[in-house]
Amino acid sequence: MATIKEVAQRAGVSIRTVSRVLNDNPYVADATRECVLRVIQELDFRPSAAARYMRTGQSQLIGFLTDELAQNAFSYDLIIGAQQTAWERQKLLFLLNTGNDPHVERRAINMMRDHQVEGIIYATMYHREIIRSQFPEDIPVVLVNCFADDRSLPSIVPDEIGGGRLATETLLNQGHRRVGFVNVAAQEPAPLGRMAGYRQALANYGIPFDAALVRFIEEPFEGLATSTYDCVLSLLEMDDPPTAIFCFNDMMALGAYDAVRKSNLRIPEDVAIIGYDNVEILAAQIHPPLTTIELPNFEMGRLAVRMLLGEAGSIQDGRPGQHMIECPLIVRGSV
Amino acid sequence: MATIKEVAQRAGVSIRTVSRVLNDNPYVADATRECVLRVIQELDFRPSAAARYMRTGQSQLIGFLTDELAQNAFSYDLIIGAQQTAWERQKLLFLLNTGNDPHVERRAINMMRDHQVEGIIYATMYHREIIRSQFPEDIPVVLVNCFADDRSLPSIVPDEIGGGRLATETLLNQGHRRVGFVNVAAQEPAPLGRMAGYRQALANYGIPFDAALVRFIEEPFEGLATSTYDCVLSLLEMDDPPTAIFCFNDMMALGAYDAVRKSNLRIPEDVAIIGYDNVEILAAQIHPPLTTIELPNFEMGRLAVRMLLGEAGSIQDGRPGQHMIECPLIVRGSV
DNA sequence: CTGAAAGCGCTAACAA
DNA sequence: TTGTTAGCGCTTTCAG
């Protein structure tokens, strides 16, 4: 690879002039600039980012750390959103999946520091709280899908309550009055929030909460669809069965579909189903296509980069911004 | 961030000595080493990768370029496999998705060169041929899921023929003699190869090829599951219907499931179904769980990094290695 | 075993 | 408008 020196020699100018051309400095004669540019082309010269960084302190690098995000299919859009936004700003993204191993995590953060990333985005697979102290003080961090115990780091999370409410109200809007909810039994923001949203929606419509309509899948969560199948079957066998079911996520909706079909009922005529997450590969392909609430992953990834670069509210009212992103309704054919 | 100079001063030694400690050079007195190490700890010092690169020429960086891989759910494991393998070798991975835009691609490659990546992995969404000239000569490249027109770049692709054969023989092994195949109508390695494998398997079992059992889904490929549904329905309405169906991919198997159920038949008792890709979120969740052929993405990602770093056959018989990876059978409950 | 000094490729004061 | 020079933080001869 050619160096700036070779370019300078070949163009018959000084290194500084080449540097000027490289950085669009106006104080270069047009003729000189053209000549230099030509030589740069000929030599296929590209300035070294490392050397440039040494002087400017701008590495143009962003670290994207995940706990186990990338093991599952939900979050492509998060990565894509972040990557694309970084790209638009001429930054490169380091991807690193820690597998939730604290040791790996610590080393990963160090490795990113070694490469002087301008900041780190830390995204978790599930919406949860994390410990602030695992992150260094001297480097910007933006949290995605999680938040710091002491709220001392800017964070972006989905609005679970709003999403739960939207899902339920979508069903209520269609005239359903007996709305089942198949939730997961975990003390985490997602199940807790969606549950709260479910209750709010009921309250908004003046419908009393009926605990018999709410079911919880217990851990472990493998075979989620199958557990949901059983759950929904029992729901439909009630004396006063629900005519609509809100499933905690799309995978579970798959089980609900099977249960409804098993009961010789039709979707959405006899039972309406709504999911959560908008996993396209599932939701758009099953029959009828699943109406669901979208986890706005792309937007979250995008916002994370913007916040990291100081473009958007990484600080709000003098404190690290805690952003809640709305989860929109995706209408397909199951409601 | 502390510099090596500050460490040296504080430890009362020269920069050179700190550098020795950093690089595990044996010619340091134990006492000196300990002292330096302690100061490094105190200052939370980390050597700058950029500065280090300037001297050593080792950037420890690998570029991972995708066309539109990351838009779909198939390929997490590819990224994870590559990332994890890079991590084990203390390397960092740049992720960059080009959206198949040649202009973006060119700029992306340049950007990676600016950061002096040690090599580039280029992975495509679909198994296909690519043009060699889009890549620079002076930087190692490994192709994944694609191959260069002139075979001048090392490449890793799945063995489509073997996979198609394995899928079909799995069905044949169970005693099925009328095996349907729902393929996609595209002149690409995947549909072509799996078709060839299907025919080979038939031949191996001495069963004549019956064109009526093979159907092709035409582009566009949105609503793949739905098109497959229609296809399989017509297959099952034949006078001499198939008792087993090989679907080009798992999403299509989803449509096949619906068609079988619609025909009041059972899986696998009346009709066996086998898919391809092993998209866990689908295959493991539907009922019955789908037996399928796995695209060994993790292994391909892993091998790509190893080849890039010269650990595995990037050169075979003096030519760039063209590797074909076997696609294993994943037995679940649909056959 | 340890240190002084050169230099990697670039940018930025400062001079010319 | 252009060139000279110092220096970013590190590794590496080469002396001591």
Side-chain angles (χ1 to χ4, degrees), chain A residues 9 30-31 42 63 70 76 106 115 171 180-181 183 185 194 197 200 222 231 244 248 258 262 272 279 293 313 315:
Chain A
Q9 274 166 2
D30 284 351
E42 283 169 19
Y76 258 108
R106 202 159 29 243
H115 286 271
L171 266 11
F181 180 22
N183 202 349
R194 294 175 200 179
Q200 282 184 10
E222 290 111 55
C231 218
F248 176 78
D258 283 339
K262 177 74 174 179
V279 179
I293 304 293
I315 302 285

Side-chain angles (χ1 to χ4, degrees), chain A residues 14 16-17 20 28-29 32 54-55:
Chain A
S14 79
R16 180 67 184 102
T17 300
R20 281 201 185 85
V28 181
T32 315
M54 297 260 308
R55 292 297 327 200

